[in-house]
Amino acid sequence: MVRMMKALFVMVACMVVTTPYTEAAINCRDLVTKLLSCLPYMQNGGNPSLSCCLGVKSINDAAGTAPDRRAACYCMKQASGSEPSINRNNSAILPDKCRISLPYMISPFTECSRVK
């Protein structure tokens, strides 16, 4: 009985962890690729390039549903925290610099489960 309860717990935990990704039609690799031109800005500041801002816009446009926005948020959260050379302040204000309103900050500290 204890073994079955543990197996059930693990199965439910796996479903909860993967739910934000499986509900959405967002591909994390595609999103990160769209932000590659933003890397110089996120590392050094200044002004983001036009191609960077177009990438941010395309990410925003692709996330048309709440599950898509949450999936995009989780992806951006993971990507922004995985590269130590990224200045977190620069990545957090990137959408504002591009004059695009994202429903989340690009930050490893964003609480994506709250994104609507």
Side-chain angles (χ1 to χ4, degrees):
M1 182 70 167
V2 172
R3 229 182 237 173
M4 187 182 342
M5 292 301 286
K6 285 182 181 178
L8 182 61
F9 177 76
V10 169
M11 188 170 72
V12 170
C14 288
M15 289 169 53
V16 169
V17 168
T18 60
T19 297
Y21 300 102
T22 58
E23 287 180 0
I26 295 290
N27 180 310
C28 193
R29 181 178 292 164
D30 291 343
L31 296 186
V32 171
T33 300
K34 290 177 183 187
L35 287 184
L36 282 178
S37 62
C38 298
L39 195 54
Y41 165 77
M42 290 191 283
Q43 291 171 328
N44 305 312
N47 290 309
S49 66
L50 176 60
S51 63
C52 168
C53 290
L54 290 174
V56 174
K57 182 181 182 327
S58 70
I59 289 169
N60 193 42
D61 292 347
T65 66
D68 287 341
R69 288 185 287 277
R70 280 190 294 277
C73 177
Y74 281 111
C75 180
M76 297 297 99
K77 177 179 181 171
Q78 180 182 18
S80 67
S82 66
E83 176 55 53
S85 67
I86 290 177
N87 178 308
R88 291 182 179 142
N89 292 327
N90 292 343
S91 63
I93 63 170
L94 174 61
D96 290 338
K97 284 277 201 167
C98 290
R99 296 187 177 129
I100 296 168
S101 178
L102 288 181
Y104 54 86
M105 278 194 330
I106 301 174
S107 166
F109 307 110
T110 298
E111 183 54 57
C112 297
S113 64
R114 296 181 182 164
V115 174
K116 300 197 184 245

